[in-house]
Amino acid sequence: MSVPTQAHRHDKSLVAASLAGKNGAVSHTDATNRKNLFLLIQLRWLAVAGQVLTVLATEYWFDIPLPLAEMAGVVLFLVGLNIFSLLVLRGIRPISNTQLFVALIFDMAALTTQLYLSGGASNPFVSLYLLQITLGAALLTPRFTWILVAAASACFVFLIFLFQPIAIPHHGGSDLLSLHIRGMFICFVLAAGLIVIFMTRIDRNLRERDAYLADLRQRSAEEDHIVRMGLLASGAAHELGTPLATISVILSDWRQMRTLARNRELAADVAEMQAQIERCKRIVSGILMSSGQARGEGTIRTTIRGFLDDLVEEWRTSRQPSKLEYKNDFDPDEQIVSDTALKQVIFNLFDNAQEASQDWVGVTAERQGDKLVISVRDRGPGFDEGILAALGQPYMSSKGRPGGGLGLFLVMNVVRNLGGDFSARNMEQGACVTLSLPLAALTDGDDREA
């Protein structure tokens, strides 16, 4: 199947796509922040479990008395904070960078309180501040990160001078040093493991966000490219209108000439020429309508089955294919407002299939849930692997002529702006192109009949 050479789009689709792109960037940033907040919630659950285990081991294994009531209060505070964070996460309000910063500040306050109750800066778990700073560097803006560093440093200094000492049972100096080293080792393993786990997940979230933004930039460039082509097509259509009208007038005058009327062959040729001129004028009008120059003239309320049947019949009459197998299995039917741009896109695919396969073209339309699925098949040589690999990129064509390859590029953008999917694949004989369009994109809520 070769690449179609023309497609047109409504200005309304371009504006909608632009707005969707801007809103999409904001919503995806919010989605990334939500993922990161969920990671902080998971980390907080691990902190709760770790603190409970550490307190129990210290109290009952090492026989070191701790203020259990106060420490339990801190744990309950973290549990309540997590429940509140889950409620925020399920809400519809966007998650900002400031909220992530506040969440880390609360975690730092809880850690500082626990360290205050258990020996202050001499507690080997004081190095967990570095874990929170590392997470802040990955999640927050530089300004918030440095504020977090300053807060952690202030907490550390505070714990040097103010803390509740713990009553450690009498041991030799070497035993105390060994106990402290074991605590430092446990803290090191815990911090290292959590940093690897959560930094990997945070990095994945950030890479997904960057990839999405890069895709939005690519789409924006494609939109600009299509707008320029639409303006060029509209200008060319306006310029072609005058010479076509002139030729039509001349041909009408010729048909009134007696000399030409006596020559049946010449009269038939002039009639054919006039018919082709009228067809060119209809094509020019369609270009102007698709570009918004004749808005409202091509809007027709119909049904999907009727739209497709009329479209196929019009293409069959104008192109006269050798053999067209058309099967319309869309059921139940749905009312729509016809779209000139969509009609032109489907025409392009039909033309494309006919160029690749002069003897046979197959068209199937069906309903899959809330989507309209149109498949166009041919028995030609199929797509080159390079074209399939770069499907929808401009100027990727097997026709070998300048300016070719814009068809699939335009088709994919029109379908994408309607919220649909476009795919192409090679078959045992020929190729198949499939359009999948949501029914909601083909209807107009203000115009639909009850």
Side-chain angles (χ1 to χ4, degrees):
M1 186 181 285
S2 306
V3 181
T5 58
Q6 56 179 343
H8 310 287
R9 330 168 44 170
H10 284 299
D11 290 341
K12 179 174 66 176
S13 299
L14 292 174
V15 174
S18 176
L19 293 176
K22 295 177 182 178
N23 294 335
V26 175
S27 63
H28 198 78
T29 300
D30 175 58
T32 301
N33 286 339
R34 287 180 179 275
K35 291 180 181 179
N36 292 333
L37 179 59
F38 182 67
L39 290 178
L40 291 181
I41 292 173
Q42 291 178 310
L43 177 61
R44 197 173 292 130
W45 286 128
L46 291 177
V48 168
Q51 289 179 21
V52 171
L53 291 176
T54 302
V55 169
L56 292 178
T58 302
E59 179 77 21
Y60 298 106
W61 188 2
F62 294 107
D63 293 327
I64 299 177
L66 294 172
L68 297 182
E70 292 86 345
M71 287 187 163
V74 176
V75 171
L76 291 177
F77 167 76
L78 290 176
V79 172
L81 181 60
N82 246 9
I83 294 174
F84 176 77
S85 299
L86 286 173
L87 294 177
V88 171
L89 196 61
R90 293 181 179 180
I92 60 175
R93 298 184 63 180
I95 305 298
S96 65
N97 207 248
T98 303
Q99 288 174 282
L100 297 178
F101 169 75
V102 172
L104 285 173
I105 286 293
F106 276 124
D107 290 335
M108 185 177 295
L111 175 62
T112 302
T113 304
Q114 294 289 42
L115 293 174
Y116 170 80
L117 296 171
S118 56
S122 63
N123 192 311
F125 288 93
V126 73
S127 58
L128 286 178
Y129 282 126
L130 294 176
L131 172 62
Q132 295 175 332
I133 293 175
T134 302
L135 292 175
L139 298 177
L140 306 177
T141 60
R143 180 171 64 91
F144 281 138
T145 302
W146 284 112
I147 294 176
L148 200 66
V149 171
S153 301
C155 290
F156 197 108
V157 173
F158 169 79
L159 292 173
I160 294 176
F161 299 101
L162 295 174
F163 59 90
Q164 288 187 11
I166 55 177
I168 300 178
H170 179 70
H171 290 286
S174 60
D175 291 337
L176 289 175
L177 178 62
S178 175
L179 182 64
H180 187 79
I181 290 176
R182 276 185 285 174
M184 292 177 60
F185 174 73
I186 294 174
C187 179
F188 169 79
V189 172
L190 179 64
L194 292 176
I195 287 175
V196 171
I197 293 174
F198 286 94
M199 287 299 295
T200 300
R201 295 185 181 180
I202 291 171
D203 180 65
R204 181 181 61 192
N205 293 342
L206 295 177
R207 282 189 282 109
E208 289 178 356
R209 184 195 64 185
D210 292 342
Y212 182 81
L213 293 177
D215 182 61
L216 283 182
R217 286 192 292 269
Q218 176 65 25
R219 291 191 181 189
S220 178
E222 293 176 355
E223 300 287 348
D224 292 339
H225 191 94
I226 292 174
V227 167
R228 289 194 297 270
M229 288 191 296
L231 293 174
L232 178 62
S234 176
H238 277 296
E239 294 296 330
L240 287 173
T242 299
L244 287 176
T246 301
I247 296 174
S248 179
V249 171
I250 293 174
L251 290 176
S252 296
D253 292 341
W254 283 5
R255 294 188 67 179
Q256 304 300 323
M257 296 174 61
R258 295 181 180 180
T259 304
L260 189 63
R262 297 191 188 100
N263 192 324
R264 293 184 178 179
E265 293 183 0
L266 287 177
D269 290 341
V270 170
E272 178 63 22
M273 291 170 62
Q274 197 164 26
Q276 294 302 320
I277 289 294
E278 292 300 320
R279 180 183 173 190
C280 290
K281 291 170 68 176
R282 288 195 299 270
I283 293 174
V284 169
S285 298
I287 294 175
L288 294 175
M289 189 178 301
S290 294
S291 62
Q293 301 297 320
R295 189 179 304 277
E297 296 181 11
T299 300
I300 301 174
R301 187 178 300 173
T302 180
T303 64
I304 289 183
R305 290 184 65 89
F307 171 74
L308 294 175
D309 291 344
D310 293 342
L311 183 149
V312 170
E313 185 58 32
E314 180 180 346
W315 185 82
R316 190 200 306 267
T317 302
S318 60
R319 306 309 197 266
Q320 297 182 351
S322 298
K323 184 176 182 181
L324 172 65
E325 289 189 7
Y326 170 58
K327 187 177 182 182
N328 191 345
D329 290 333
F330 188 88
D331 187 66
D333 206 355
E334 190 86 17
Q335 287 189 345
I336 64 168
V337 175
S338 66
D339 191 314
T340 307
L342 178 60
K343 176 181 176 180
Q344 188 63 46
V345 163
I346 299 175
F347 264 35
N348 289 334
L349 295 181
F350 290 176
D351 291 341
N352 186 53
Q354 187 181 28
E355 288 185 19
S357 174
Q358 295 289 337
D359 298 332
W360 183 86
V361 174
V363 178
T364 301
E366 59 183 347
R367 180 169 186 161
Q368 295 182 1
D370 59 349
K371 291 185 177 182
L372 165 65
V373 179
I374 303 174
S375 299
V376 182
R377 304 180 306 280
D378 65 63
R379 292 176 179 171
F383 287 103
D384 294 336
E385 293 300 326
I387 294 178
L388 284 178
L391 189 64
Q393 296 297 317
Y395 307 114
M396 292 293 296
S397 174
S398 60
K399 296 180 180 180
R401 63 169 179 259
L406 291 175
L408 286 182
F409 168 68
L410 294 171
V411 168
M412 287 194 68
N413 277 275
V414 171
V415 173
R416 185 173 60 191
N417 283 341
L418 291 174
D421 299 319
F422 173 86
S423 64
R425 69 183 188 278
N426 289 326
M427 307 177 68
E428 293 184 3
Q429 183 179 3
C432 178
V433 171
T434 302
L435 301 181
S436 178
L437 300 169
L439 299 180
L442 305 178
T443 59
D444 189 332
D446 296 333
D447 296 331
R448 287 187 63 180
E449 295 178 350

